[in-house]
Amino acid sequence: MTIVLYHYIRVIGQRKMNIHDDLNLLSLPFLVIVLAIVVGVFLVLLANSMTTFTREGINFLIGSNWSPSSETYQILPALTGTFYTSVIAVLLALPISLGLVAFTYEYMPITIRETIKSSLYYAAAIPTVVYGIWGLEFVVPAVRKFIEFWGLTASPTGQSILAGAIVLAFMNIPYMSLIISEVYGKIPFTYIEAMHSLGALGYERLRIKYGMVKGAVLGASLLVFGKCVGETTAVSMVVGNSFNLALSPLMPGITISSLIVNYVSETSLYNYMTGALFAAALVMLVSSSLFILLGMWVARRLVIGGGEWGG
Amino acid sequence: MGRIRYILDKVFLLLVTLGTAMPVLATGLIAGSSIYWSFKALLSEGMGLFIKPPGMPGGSEIGGLGPVILNTIFITGLAITFAAPLGVVVGVYLSENRNGKLSKIVSQAVQMISEMPTIVIGLFVFSVVCLPLGGYSMLAGAVSLAIAALPYIVTQVRETLMSIPSTYREAAYSLGLPRWKTVWFLLVPMSKSGVASAIMLGYMKALGETAPVLLTAGFALYGFYGLLGPSNTVSLLIYKFAQTPYDNYRILAWTASAILLLGSLSLSYLVRRVVGEVRYA
């Protein structure tokens, strides 16, 4: 009897004392929604793209025949277009961001440095579609003038891989500079003092400090690359949206995201196009996440874990 | 030797100044054209710019953004009503169960949503909401904007709550307060400005995102069609109108971009101000 009572009291007591469960129980439905969104996205993408993968096989990725009239969907030009724009974008954004960080940290007094950093913060808040209209009104005409000036055989409108890359680069420069300067500003003051006491000039200081932050630079580049791969609106406004395998950056191209945007309204006309677009989205999701994860892994490993001065 | 170093340094300074000038010039062009064209539109249309629908394509009349602004207010408002409770509760949970297994999974899931290309979110909502309902709707647009805004709210709420020292929690537990009361009646009110800034950040994202609504919200220019009717957002209008060859539509696109810039920048200013103020211990 006493044993039963003892157990009963323990159970009741535990239930009262088990304060951990209240919070978890209350939050559970909300957590389930979040998990359901992620699982749902993957399930929907997978389920819809299965037919395309079975119909096209590996040709979906390595073929360049996109003809809805014969229900053949192969996305190689979109795939190369996506990587082409993103690579050029990172190659453009990286030196400019590094230059911006060097300018702020090596040549500017601390008050101006803070002003520049906060304006970077605001520039990073500009919605991407605004960069898109800027690209359409300023970058595309500039590219067209360049093509006309040299008399090149290239995109007649100026909408091209290069225009897409320039828009992507300028869109990501504030973000990239912020990540790099975050780490750059954490370099211990004793090191900086030592450099100054040796009489190192601005570019020499950058060279030494670059060695210390190159992990962050690599991480930032990968992150920006991942973001570029997934970017939709601004790119599809300026890239030209023509389905051809562009070799020259001055030719019009297409990216996976702009492929989806351009064809999604026609899906009801064809039997298998919906599946093809979902499969393309899946490919984009996987490759973009891969680069972002890699970028974060590199940044975390080389900056926080491996760095000499910790975080 | 010394001379060359100084010359190199000057060359380097010139290069980095140019590197800084380029993005400054780009943002200057964005801000300048937005202000220029929106003033031009305001001068020709007056307050009608915020009331009237857009003029005829290619016509001489610019028209206004009235229905689009109304739709934007409703669709983003709806999105934030979905995202805010979800984001705050999940953020609180993640902050209070830092080492739990479920919390690690959920935090990974939130991370994944934030990394998703937003067009994928649009495509997901398109097939889950639009296809069953049989068309573009405000509801679908709001759902996809809510998903896009969610990770920002969760992360910001989690960071805010994590910055509260554990002594506050210990004090509450020692008074016998259950955990949920501690969190919801003590920690959340304590960090209410942080939570508010999280919601503002989420709203800013909902306002600026275009790709999720591109496949879900439709493109209503001349009226307001309710929850299940087509809707529109300011960013979507910029996307569509900037690509038209009509001058009056392009002017409207720049005006919309001025509105969007004003909204985004003032929200991010508020977020920065509020987050800067929050300090414990």
Side-chain angles (χ1 to χ4, degrees):
Chain A
M1 181 61 201
T2 43
I3 291 170
V4 171
L5 200 65
Y6 172 73
H7 276 284
Y8 181 74
I9 288 168
R10 260 193 65 180
V11 169
I12 292 288
Q14 258 180 0
R15 188 168 293 164
K16 268 202 172 150
M17 290 303 295
N18 201 347
I19 49 179
H20 293 254
D21 273 354
D22 299 343
L23 181 71
N24 296 5
L25 219 62
L26 286 171
S27 332
L28 199 61
F30 296 86
L31 303 179
V32 169
I33 296 176
V34 172
L35 292 176
I37 292 171
V38 173
V39 174
V41 167
F42 277 97
L43 279 185
V44 164
L45 287 185
L46 269 177
N48 282 301
S49 53
M50 267 308 131
T51 50
T52 306
F53 285 134
T54 48
R55 272 171 49 97
E56 300 285 342
I58 191 71
N59 283 335
F60 180 68
L61 294 178
I62 59 169
S64 38
N65 182 15
W66 177 276
S67 65
S69 51
S70 64
E71 298 277 357
T72 310
Y73 304 101
Q74 299 166 348
I75 59 160
L76 183 67
L79 211 57
T80 53
T82 307
F83 285 96
Y84 208 175
T85 44
S86 306
V87 166
I88 300 177
V90 171
L91 290 181
L92 284 174
L94 189 58
I96 297 178
S97 306
L98 266 178
L100 208 158
V101 171
F103 179 76
T104 351
Y105 275 86
E106 304 304 343
Y107 295 101
M108 288 292 117
I110 195 154
T111 43
I112 297 180
R113 189 185 302 171
E114 287 308 312
T115 319
I116 294 179
K117 275 178 83 176
S118 59
S119 44
L120 280 179
Y121 168 83
Y122 290 118
I126 296 177
T128 55
V129 70
V130 178
Y131 279 102
I133 185 174
W134 166 74
L136 209 51
E137 300 266 314
F138 293 101
V139 178
V140 167
V143 172
R144 186 173 59 220
K145 290 227 175 70
F146 177 82
I147 292 170
E148 281 167 3
F149 184 77
W150 294 101
L152 300 167
T153 44
S155 166
T157 56
Q159 291 182 316
S160 55
I161 298 272
L162 181 67
I166 291 174
V167 169
L168 278 175
F170 278 92
M171 188 194 299
N172 282 304
I173 283 170
Y175 179 70
M176 203 171 197
S177 322
L178 276 178
I179 303 179
I180 296 175
S181 71
E182 191 68 21
V183 185
Y184 206 84
K186 276 192 185 145
I187 292 175
F189 194 63
T190 46
Y191 290 20
I192 300 168
E193 267 181 334
M195 285 174 219
H196 278 282
S197 70
L198 288 171
L201 297 174
Y203 75 98
E204 294 161 332
R205 292 200 297 274
L206 175 76
R207 220 163 68 189
I208 302 166
K209 287 181 176 180
Y210 174 74
M212 300 178 182
V213 301
K214 59 177 182 243
V217 173
L218 181 63
S221 311
L222 287 166
L223 272 176
V224 167
F225 186 82
K227 275 180 64 155
C228 290
V229 166
E231 173 53 41
T232 310
T233 41
V235 183
S236 83
M237 285 163 93
V238 297
V239 83
N241 294 328
S242 85
F243 203 86
N244 65 334
L245 206 58
L247 291 176
S248 152
L250 293 174
M251 294 294 275
I254 197 165
T255 64
I256 299 180
S257 47
S258 46
L259 180 80
I260 297 171
V261 172
N262 279 298
Y263 285 97
V264 80
S265 54
E266 298 175 21
T267 48
S268 54
L269 306 174
Y270 304 101
N271 290 325
Y272 296 105
M273 190 190 268
T274 322
L277 294 183
F278 274 97
L282 189 64
V283 171
M284 176 174 67
L285 177 61
V286 169
S287 42
S288 148
S289 322
L290 214 64
F291 281 101
I292 290 175
L293 281 179
L294 200 65
M296 291 209 282
W297 184 73
V298 167
R300 207 173 292 148
R301 221 176 113 84
L302 292 177
V303 179
I304 296 154
E308 281 166 54
W309 59 88
Chain B
M1 178 61 200
R3 181 81 51 83
I4 294 171
R5 279 181 61 227
Y6 281 97
I7 293 169
L8 270 179
D9 190 50
K10 288 286 173 267
V11 172
F12 181 71
L13 178 58
L14 188 71
L15 282 178
V16 295
T17 313
L18 278 177
T20 313
M22 276 195 278
V24 170
L25 190 71
T27 28
L29 275 177
I30 290 174
S33 335
S34 300
I35 294 169
Y36 175 76
W37 289 114
S38 59
F39 264 96
K40 208 154 194 194
L42 199 62
L43 283 181
S44 92
E45 293 296 323
M47 284 328 269
L49 192 62
F50 304 106
I51 301 159
K52 282 195 286 193
M56 292 306 286
S60 55
E61 194 198 11
I62 296 175
L65 295 169
V68 180
I69 294 174
L70 185 72
N71 274 305
T72 308
I73 291 170
F74 272 90
I75 199 169
T76 49
L78 197 60
I80 209 70
T81 356
F82 292 147
L86 191 60
V88 172
V89 171
V90 173
V92 164
Y93 177 86
L94 291 183
S95 137
E96 299 308 302
N97 299 277
R98 278 163 229 186
N99 300 314
K101 201 175 250 173
L102 182 62
S103 135
K104 286 215 169 96
I105 297 171
V106 172
S107 137
Q108 201 66 43
V110 171
Q111 180 83 47
M112 278 167 117
I113 298 177
S114 77
E115 287 160 13
M116 257 175 216
T118 44
I119 187 83
V120 172
I121 297 172
L123 207 56
F124 167 68
V125 175
F126 173 75
S127 67
V128 172
V129 184
C130 286
L131 291 182
L133 289 180
Y136 297 133
S137 63
M138 174 182 277
L139 181 70
V143 168
S144 56
L145 284 180
I147 296 176
L150 179 68
Y152 296 91
I153 302 179
V154 171
T155 315
Q156 189 77 15
V157 168
R158 186 184 61 190
E159 296 301 314
T160 311
L161 254 75
M162 273 180 158
S163 69
I164 301 178
S166 57
T167 43
Y168 286 89
R169 294 181 182 84
E170 283 163 17
Y173 296 153
S174 72
L175 291 172
L177 238 61
R179 197 136 174 247
W180 67 274
K181 271 192 185 167
T182 310
V183 168
W184 287 104
F185 296 142
L186 189 74
L187 302 184
V188 172
M190 259 179 80
S191 56
K192 58 176 178 288
S193 55
V195 173
S197 82
I199 294 171
M200 283 192 285
L201 192 68
Y203 189 77
M204 191 177 98
K205 285 291 157 191
L207 202 62
E209 282 294 348
T210 317
V213 278
L214 194 56
L215 307 183
T216 52
F219 192 59
L221 281 180
Y222 302 104
F224 180 76
Y225 304 101
L227 189 64
L228 296 177
S231 182
N232 206 342
T233 72
V234 171
S235 54
L236 194 55
L237 179 116
I238 300 173
Y239 176 77
K240 298 255 182 174
F241 273 17
Q243 302 190 65
T244 62
Y246 312 120
D247 276 341
N248 57 343
Y249 276 14
R250 297 249 282 273
I251 292 175
L252 279 181
W254 276 114
T255 311
S257 113
I259 294 171
L260 198 56
L261 279 181
L262 195 68
S264 298
L265 294 187
S266 48
L267 278 169
S268 61
Y269 172 75
L270 280 176
V271 168
R272 205 175 153 89
R273 274 288 299 273
V274 168
V275 170
E277 277 170 9
V278 182
R279 288 277 177 275
Y280 309 97

